[in-house]
Amino acid sequence: MPTPSDLERMLREAALRVTRPRIAVLGAVHRHPHADTESIIGAVRADLGVVSHQAVYDVLRALTTAGLVRRIQPSGALARYEARVGDNHHHVVCRSCGVIADVDCAVGHAPCLTACDDYGFAIDEAEVTYWGLCPSCVVPTPR
Ligand SMILES: [Zn+2]
Ligand SMILES: [Zn+2]
């Protein structure tokens, strides 16, 4: 887990002003991968005391724009945030309880970025969501 000084360095490298709420929010996203906004607000409040929802939303937006945090939103689910950015990994989502896990690219290094025809686009991300049931939600087959 990154230390507070690691978090400060990340903010500086992204040309963001270092503030306590930014350090707290970035730290919370590192500690709680795929957390939704409410859980991040809870973690930040445990760190800093009173922080408004709006302040946390604003920081999440700034961190996402700066590329320090990735926002994912499986269809029909709340937005989640993660600090694992830039590696084009994918997610598997449980249809029943909504738990999310990381999935690396299916074969080799980001082959899904090589579209058969890119229509002239400079593609930098392929968003793939695998859906299914997590181990705790799979109904055991009756014997
Ligand atoms: Zn589940
Ligand atoms: Zn992830």
Side-chain angles (χ1 to χ4, degrees):
M1 279 302 117
T3 64
S5 57
D6 292 334
L7 298 169
E8 269 190 55
R9 187 171 35 76
M10 290 177 208
L11 290 170
R12 288 218 183 81
E13 283 173 3
L16 288 177
R17 205 158 44 85
V18 175
T19 63
R20 290 184 68 213
R22 283 178 177 172
I23 290 181
V25 171
L26 187 55
V29 176
H30 276 271
R31 287 195 308 276
H32 308 281
H34 312 135
D36 60 19
T37 315
E38 285 305 313
S39 325
I40 293 167
I41 290 170
V44 170
R45 284 188 175 155
D47 254 25
L48 291 186
V50 183
V51 185
S52 70
H53 278 234
Q54 193 56 49
V56 174
Y57 281 116
D58 290 347
V59 172
L60 282 170
R61 192 170 322 114
L63 296 178
T64 306
T65 306
L68 290 177
V69 157
R70 180 175 171 205
R71 181 181 194 274
I72 51 174
Q73 185 154 27
S75 63
L78 291 169
R80 314 288 190 100
Y81 294 87
E82 68 182 348
R84 184 180 163 185
V85 293
D87 67 350
N88 194 61
H89 73 275
H90 307 307
H91 294 102
V92 57
V93 185
C94 176
R95 278 185 206 288
S96 174
C97 69
V99 75
I100 297 181
D102 287 338
V103 181
D104 289 328
C105 242
V107 190
H109 184 66
C112 47
L113 289 182
T114 313
C116 297
D117 185 344
D118 62 13
Y119 300 97
F121 284 56
I123 297 174
D124 60 26
E125 181 177 344
E127 189 173 316
V128 177
T129 306
Y130 300 91
W131 292 88
L133 290 174
C134 75
S136 23
C137 290
V138 172
V139 183
T141 33
R143 287 158 201 267

